[in-house]
Amino acid sequence: MTSHRLHTLHERSFETNRFVYPVLSRRAGGLSIGVNLNPDKICNFDCIYCQVNRTRQSETRFVETDDLLRELEDTLTLAASGRIYESGKFHDTPPHLRRLRDIAFSGDGEPTTYRNFDEIIEACAVLKRRLGLDDVRMTLITNASMLHRPHVQRGLAILDANQGEIWAKLEAGTDEYFRRVDRTPIAFHRILENLTQAAQVRPIVIQALFLRIQNEPPSWAELEAFCDRLNEILAAGGQIKLVQIYTVARQPAESYVTPLTNEEVDAIAALVRQRTGLSATEYYGASLNAD
Ligand code: SF4
Protein backbone atom coordinates (compact mmCIF):
# COMPACT_ATOMS: atom_id res chain seq x y z
CA MET A 1 0.00 0.00 0.00
CA THR A 2 0.64 2.49 -0.73
CA SER A 3 -0.01 5.69 -0.97
CA HIS A 4 -0.11 6.05 2.78
CA ARG A 5 3.46 7.13 2.52
CA LEU A 6 4.33 10.71 2.97
CA HIS A 7 7.17 11.85 0.92
CA THR A 8 8.31 14.92 -0.84
CA LEU A 9 9.37 13.27 -4.05
CA HIS A 10 6.89 10.64 -4.85
CA GLU A 11 7.25 9.59 -8.42
CA ARG A 12 6.91 5.88 -8.79
CA SER A 13 9.65 5.78 -11.39
CA PHE A 14 13.32 6.35 -10.91
CA GLU A 15 14.92 6.88 -14.24
CA THR A 16 13.86 3.73 -16.06
CA ASN A 17 12.82 1.64 -13.05
CA ARG A 18 9.42 -0.01 -13.09
CA PHE A 19 9.19 -1.48 -9.58
CA VAL A 20 11.66 0.37 -7.38
CA TYR A 21 11.42 4.07 -6.57
CA PRO A 22 13.61 5.98 -4.13
CA VAL A 23 11.88 8.76 -2.19
CA LEU A 24 12.82 11.21 0.51
CA SER A 25 10.62 10.35 3.44
CA ARG A 26 10.11 12.46 6.52
CA ARG A 27 8.66 9.54 8.39
CA ALA A 28 11.58 7.31 7.49
CA GLY A 29 13.98 10.17 8.28
CA GLY A 30 15.89 9.93 5.02
CA LEU A 31 15.96 7.97 1.84
CA SER A 32 13.40 5.23 1.51
CA ILE A 33 13.60 2.75 -1.33
CA GLY A 34 10.04 1.88 -2.32
CA VAL A 35 9.19 -1.47 -3.83
CA ASN A 36 5.91 -1.53 -5.72
CA LEU A 37 4.34 -4.98 -5.55
CA ASN A 38 1.11 -3.72 -7.14
CA PRO A 39 1.98 -2.41 -10.59
CA ASP A 40 -1.57 -3.37 -11.63
CA LYS A 41 -2.82 -0.74 -9.13
CA ILE A 42 -5.29 -3.19 -7.63
CA CYS A 43 -6.19 -2.79 -3.98
CA ASN A 44 -8.71 -4.53 -1.73
CA PHE A 45 -9.58 -1.15 -0.15
CA ASP A 46 -10.94 1.84 -2.00
CA CYS A 47 -10.04 4.65 0.39
CA ILE A 48 -11.73 7.95 -0.30
CA TYR A 49 -8.37 9.69 0.13
CA CYS A 50 -6.27 7.25 -1.94
CA GLN A 51 -3.61 9.07 -3.89
CA VAL A 52 -2.88 6.40 -6.45
CA ASN A 53 -3.89 7.65 -9.87
CA ARG A 54 -6.08 4.85 -11.18
CA THR A 55 -7.35 6.78 -14.15
CA ARG A 56 -4.01 6.15 -15.86
CA GLN A 57 -3.14 2.58 -16.55
CA SER A 58 0.37 1.50 -15.74
CA GLU A 59 2.69 0.10 -18.36
CA THR A 60 3.53 -2.88 -16.20
CA ARG A 61 0.78 -5.11 -14.84
CA PHE A 62 2.82 -7.89 -13.25
CA VAL A 63 5.72 -8.11 -10.86
CA GLU A 64 8.75 -9.38 -12.75
CA THR A 65 10.95 -10.68 -9.99
CA ASP A 66 14.31 -10.64 -11.76
CA ASP A 67 13.82 -7.08 -13.00
CA LEU A 68 12.58 -5.97 -9.59
CA LEU A 69 15.62 -7.42 -7.82
CA ARG A 70 17.99 -5.90 -10.35
CA GLU A 71 16.41 -2.49 -9.92
CA LEU A 72 16.55 -2.87 -6.14
CA GLU A 73 20.22 -3.84 -6.16
CA ASP A 74 21.13 -0.94 -8.44
CA THR A 75 19.15 1.57 -6.41
CA LEU A 76 20.42 0.34 -3.04
CA THR A 77 23.98 0.45 -4.33
CA LEU A 78 23.52 4.01 -5.63
CA ALA A 79 21.95 5.09 -2.34
CA ALA A 80 24.40 3.34 -0.01
CA SER A 81 27.40 4.74 -1.88
CA GLY A 82 25.98 8.29 -1.85
CA ARG A 83 26.18 8.52 -5.62
CA ILE A 84 22.45 9.02 -5.78
CA TYR A 85 22.94 12.58 -4.43
CA GLU A 86 25.45 13.58 -7.10
CA SER A 87 22.88 14.62 -9.67
CA GLY A 88 19.24 14.47 -10.60
CA LYS A 89 16.34 14.89 -8.28
CA PHE A 90 18.25 14.00 -5.08
CA HIS A 91 20.98 16.54 -5.70
CA ASP A 92 19.50 19.07 -3.28
CA THR A 93 18.80 16.59 -0.48
CA PRO A 94 19.68 18.27 2.83
CA PRO A 95 22.58 16.63 4.69
CA HIS A 96 20.42 15.32 7.54
CA LEU A 97 18.29 13.34 5.08
CA ARG A 98 21.23 11.84 3.20
CA ARG A 99 20.80 8.51 4.89
CA LEU A 100 19.51 5.27 3.46
CA ARG A 101 16.82 4.32 5.94
CA ASP A 102 14.66 1.55 4.61
CA ILE A 103 13.29 -0.61 1.86
CA ALA A 104 9.54 0.05 1.94
CA PHE A 105 7.03 -2.40 0.51
CA SER A 106 4.41 0.01 -0.62
CA GLY A 107 3.40 1.23 -4.04
CA ASP A 108 0.13 1.37 -5.90
CA GLY A 109 -1.99 -1.07 -3.90
CA GLU A 110 -1.87 -3.41 -0.91
CA PRO A 111 1.48 -5.27 -1.04
CA THR A 112 0.25 -8.31 0.88
CA THR A 113 -2.25 -9.10 -1.88
CA TYR A 114 0.71 -10.08 -4.05
CA ARG A 115 0.54 -13.86 -4.07
CA ASN A 116 4.31 -14.41 -3.92
CA PHE A 117 4.67 -11.94 -1.09
CA ASP A 118 6.77 -14.25 1.10
CA GLU A 119 9.13 -15.16 -1.74
CA ILE A 120 9.79 -11.58 -2.75
CA ILE A 121 10.37 -10.53 0.87
CA GLU A 122 12.86 -13.37 1.24
CA ALA A 123 14.66 -12.45 -1.99
CA CYS A 124 14.91 -8.80 -0.90
CA ALA A 125 16.19 -9.80 2.53
CA VAL A 126 18.88 -11.99 0.95
CA LEU A 127 19.92 -9.10 -1.30
CA LYS A 128 20.03 -6.67 1.63
CA ARG A 129 22.26 -9.06 3.58
CA ARG A 130 24.51 -9.62 0.59
CA LEU A 131 25.00 -5.87 0.26
CA GLY A 132 25.85 -5.64 3.96
CA LEU A 133 22.94 -3.29 4.68
CA ASP A 134 22.15 -4.63 8.13
CA ASP A 135 21.08 -1.26 9.48
CA VAL A 136 18.59 -0.67 6.68
CA ARG A 137 15.06 -1.45 7.82
CA MET A 138 12.48 -3.36 5.79
CA THR A 139 9.15 -1.61 6.21
CA LEU A 140 5.86 -3.17 5.26
CA ILE A 141 3.21 -0.51 4.66
CA THR A 142 -0.10 -2.30 4.86
CA ASN A 143 -3.82 -1.99 5.43
CA ALA A 144 -3.62 -5.12 7.63
CA SER A 145 -6.40 -6.91 5.76
CA MET A 146 -4.29 -9.94 4.82
CA LEU A 147 -2.00 -10.31 7.82
CA HIS A 148 -3.74 -13.55 8.87
CA ARG A 149 -3.03 -15.31 5.56
CA PRO A 150 -0.31 -18.01 5.66
CA HIS A 151 1.84 -16.54 2.86
CA VAL A 152 1.76 -13.16 4.57
CA GLN A 153 2.60 -14.68 7.95
CA ARG A 154 5.62 -16.32 6.39
CA GLY A 155 6.65 -12.98 4.93
CA LEU A 156 6.24 -11.29 8.33
CA ALA A 157 8.51 -13.87 9.95
CA ILE A 158 11.17 -13.09 7.33
CA LEU A 159 10.74 -9.37 8.01
CA ASP A 160 11.13 -10.00 11.75
CA ALA A 161 14.48 -11.65 11.12
CA ASN A 162 15.70 -8.83 8.85
CA GLN A 163 15.15 -5.51 10.63
CA GLY A 164 11.51 -5.52 9.57
CA GLU A 165 8.79 -3.22 10.78
CA ILE A 166 5.05 -3.19 10.11
CA TRP A 167 3.41 0.18 9.48
CA ALA A 168 -0.26 -0.65 9.52
CA LYS A 169 -3.18 1.58 8.84
CA LEU A 170 -5.99 2.18 11.31
CA GLU A 171 -7.99 5.35 10.99
CA ALA A 172 -11.41 4.64 12.40
CA GLY A 173 -12.90 3.75 15.72
CA THR A 174 -16.24 2.49 14.50
CA ASP A 175 -17.38 0.14 11.81
CA GLU A 176 -19.49 2.84 10.20
CA TYR A 177 -16.63 5.33 9.83
CA PHE A 178 -14.26 2.58 8.66
CA ARG A 179 -16.69 1.74 5.84
CA ARG A 180 -17.10 5.37 4.94
CA VAL A 181 -13.38 6.09 4.66
CA ASP A 182 -11.80 2.82 3.59
CA ARG A 183 -14.70 1.47 1.47
CA THR A 184 -13.94 -2.23 1.59
CA PRO A 185 -16.07 -5.35 2.05
CA ILE A 186 -13.49 -6.59 4.57
CA ALA A 187 -14.90 -6.48 8.10
CA PHE A 188 -13.53 -3.96 10.58
CA HIS A 189 -13.18 -6.66 13.22
CA ARG A 190 -10.91 -8.64 10.84
CA ILE A 191 -8.60 -5.62 10.61
CA LEU A 192 -8.62 -5.19 14.39
CA GLU A 193 -7.91 -8.88 14.99
CA ASN A 194 -5.06 -8.84 12.48
CA LEU A 195 -3.53 -5.76 14.06
CA THR A 196 -3.82 -7.28 17.52
CA GLN A 197 -2.23 -10.55 16.48
CA ALA A 198 0.59 -8.82 14.63
CA ALA A 199 1.23 -6.52 17.60
CA GLN A 200 1.33 -9.48 19.98
CA VAL A 201 4.32 -10.85 18.06
CA ARG A 202 6.33 -7.65 17.56
CA PRO A 203 5.82 -3.91 18.15
CA ILE A 204 4.01 -2.29 15.25
CA VAL A 205 3.56 1.27 14.01
CA ILE A 206 0.02 2.52 13.41
CA GLN A 207 -0.61 4.95 10.55
CA ALA A 208 -3.78 6.96 10.93
CA LEU A 209 -4.90 9.36 8.25
CA PHE A 210 -7.71 11.68 9.31
CA LEU A 211 -9.44 14.09 6.97
CA ARG A 212 -12.45 16.25 6.31
CA ILE A 213 -15.43 14.77 4.49
CA GLN A 214 -17.58 17.49 2.93
CA ASN A 215 -15.59 19.86 5.09
CA GLU A 216 -16.45 17.93 8.31
CA PRO A 217 -13.53 16.65 10.41
CA PRO A 218 -14.00 13.35 12.28
CA SER A 219 -16.22 13.71 15.33
CA TRP A 220 -14.63 13.71 18.75
CA ALA A 221 -16.62 10.56 19.54
CA GLU A 222 -15.03 8.83 16.53
CA LEU A 223 -11.56 9.86 17.68
CA GLU A 224 -12.26 8.60 21.19
CA ALA A 225 -13.47 5.31 19.73
CA PHE A 226 -10.21 5.18 17.72
CA CYS A 227 -8.29 5.50 20.99
CA ASP A 228 -10.47 2.77 22.49
CA ARG A 229 -9.49 0.43 19.65
CA LEU A 230 -5.80 1.20 20.30
CA ASN A 231 -6.32 0.51 23.99
CA GLU A 232 -7.97 -2.82 23.20
CA ILE A 233 -4.91 -3.87 21.19
CA LEU A 234 -2.71 -2.92 24.16
CA ALA A 235 -4.99 -4.72 26.63
CA ALA A 236 -4.69 -7.89 24.53
CA GLY A 237 -0.91 -7.78 24.92
CA GLY A 238 -0.19 -5.98 21.66
CA GLN A 239 2.71 -3.54 21.42
CA ILE A 240 2.45 -0.29 19.49
CA LYS A 241 5.72 1.58 19.19
CA LEU A 242 4.28 4.70 17.54
CA VAL A 243 1.06 6.19 16.19
CA GLN A 244 1.55 8.42 13.16
CA ILE A 245 -1.23 10.97 12.76
CA TYR A 246 -1.39 12.57 9.37
CA THR A 247 -3.76 14.01 6.83
CA VAL A 248 -4.31 14.32 3.12
CA ALA A 249 -1.27 15.61 1.29
CA ARG A 250 -1.86 15.03 -2.38
CA GLN A 251 -4.79 14.85 -4.72
CA PRO A 252 -7.26 12.40 -3.13
CA ALA A 253 -9.57 9.99 -4.97
CA GLU A 254 -12.66 11.97 -3.99
CA SER A 255 -12.98 15.71 -4.41
CA TYR A 256 -15.06 16.03 -1.21
CA VAL A 257 -11.98 15.00 0.80
CA THR A 258 -9.77 17.78 2.15
CA PRO A 259 -6.97 17.96 4.74
CA LEU A 260 -7.26 18.78 8.42
CA THR A 261 -5.59 21.91 9.71
CA ASN A 262 -2.30 21.61 11.58
CA GLU A 263 -4.13 22.39 14.84
CA GLU A 264 -6.60 19.57 14.23
CA VAL A 265 -3.77 17.12 13.57
CA ASP A 266 -2.07 18.29 16.78
CA ALA A 267 -5.28 17.85 18.76
CA ILE A 268 -5.72 14.26 17.57
CA ALA A 269 -2.12 13.38 18.41
CA ALA A 270 -2.57 14.94 21.87
CA LEU A 271 -5.77 12.95 22.41
CA VAL A 272 -4.00 9.71 21.44
CA ARG A 273 -1.16 10.43 23.86
CA GLN A 274 -3.53 11.30 26.66
CA ARG A 275 -6.00 8.45 26.14
CA THR A 276 -3.52 5.65 25.35
CA GLY A 277 -0.14 6.71 26.74
CA LEU A 278 1.39 5.88 23.35
CA SER A 279 3.90 7.96 21.42
CA ALA A 280 2.27 9.86 18.59
CA THR A 281 3.83 11.99 15.86
CA GLU A 282 2.07 14.53 13.66
CA TYR A 283 2.51 15.09 9.95
CA TYR A 284 0.71 18.08 8.50
CA GLY A 285 -0.90 18.32 5.13
CA ALA A 286 0.26 21.76 4.11
CA SER A 287 3.92 21.40 5.03
CA LEU A 288 4.48 18.10 3.28
CA ASN A 289 6.41 19.63 0.49
CA ALA A 290 8.48 21.78 2.77
CA ASP A 291 11.01 19.29 4.11
S1 SF4 B 1 -5.25 0.85 1.10
FE1 SF4 B 1 -6.38 2.67 0.51
S2 SF4 B 1 -4.84 4.28 0.33
FE2 SF4 B 1 -3.76 2.32 0.29
S3 SF4 B 1 -3.60 1.84 -1.91
FE3 SF4 B 1 -5.45 0.82 -1.13
S4 SF4 B 1 -7.10 2.27 -1.57
FE4 SF4 B 1 -5.16 3.41 -1.71
Side-chain angles (χ1 to χ4, degrees), residues 1-4 42-52 54 107-110 142-143 169 171 182:
M1 140 159 161
T2 154
S3 55
H4 324 314
I42 289 174
C43 189
N44 56 1
F45 277 29
D46 180 23
C47 303
I48 58 175
Y49 62 81
C50 185
Q51 296 156 352
V52 174
R54 295 198 167 82
D108 290 338
E110 168 53 41
T142 178
N143 63 24
K169 146 196 179 70
E171 48 216 8
D182 292 342

Side-chain angles (χ1 to χ4, degrees), residues 118-135:
D118 50 344
E119 290 167 24
I120 200 82
I121 295 286
E122 171 69 17
C124 293
V126 167
L127 172 62
K128 185 169 92 72
R129 273 202 302 276
R130 181 159 64 72
L131 296 176
L133 300 175
D134 294 341
D135 53 354

Side-chain angles (χ1 to χ4, degrees), residues 141-271:
I141 300 183
T142 178
N143 63 24
S145 59
M146 306 275 285
L147 298 184
H148 59 298
R149 298 282 179 91
H151 75 291
V152 181
Q153 300 252 313
R154 285 195 296 274
L156 298 186
I158 298 163
L159 287 174
D160 288 341
N162 290 279
Q163 301 80 43
E165 204 162 89
I166 299 175
W167 291 14
K169 146 196 179 70
L170 177 70
E171 48 216 8
T174 63
D175 191 62
E176 186 195 355
Y177 194 75
F178 169 72
R179 291 196 181 290
R180 202 165 167 209
V181 173
D182 292 342
R183 295 192 302 195
T184 173
I186 297 164
F188 190 39
H189 72 80
R190 162 52 66 200
I191 304 297
L192 294 170
E193 278 168 31
N194 283 1
L195 289 173
T196 304
Q197 282 167 16
Q200 285 168 339
V201 178
R202 83 286 282 163
I204 64 170
V205 172
I206 295 286
Q207 297 198 294
L209 187 149
F210 290 106
L211 39 67
R212 305 178 105 79
I213 301 175
Q214 318 272 27
N215 212 24
E216 278 296 312
S219 70
W220 206 245
E222 185 64 37
L223 296 170
E224 290 190 330
F226 168 71
C227 292
D228 292 343
R229 302 293 83 78
L230 295 176
N231 279 329
E232 284 162 8
I233 294 172
L234 299 176
Q239 301 171 72
I240 298 173
K241 68 191 322 184
L242 179 66
V243 183
Q244 298 177 340
I245 306 292
Y246 65 118
T247 190
V248 180
R250 307 206 307 270
Q251 187 62 44
E254 301 295 348
S255 56
Y256 58 80
V257 168
T258 47
L260 297 180
T261 64
N262 296 357
E263 292 71 29
E264 287 167 333
V265 171
D266 285 343
I268 297 172
L271 179 73

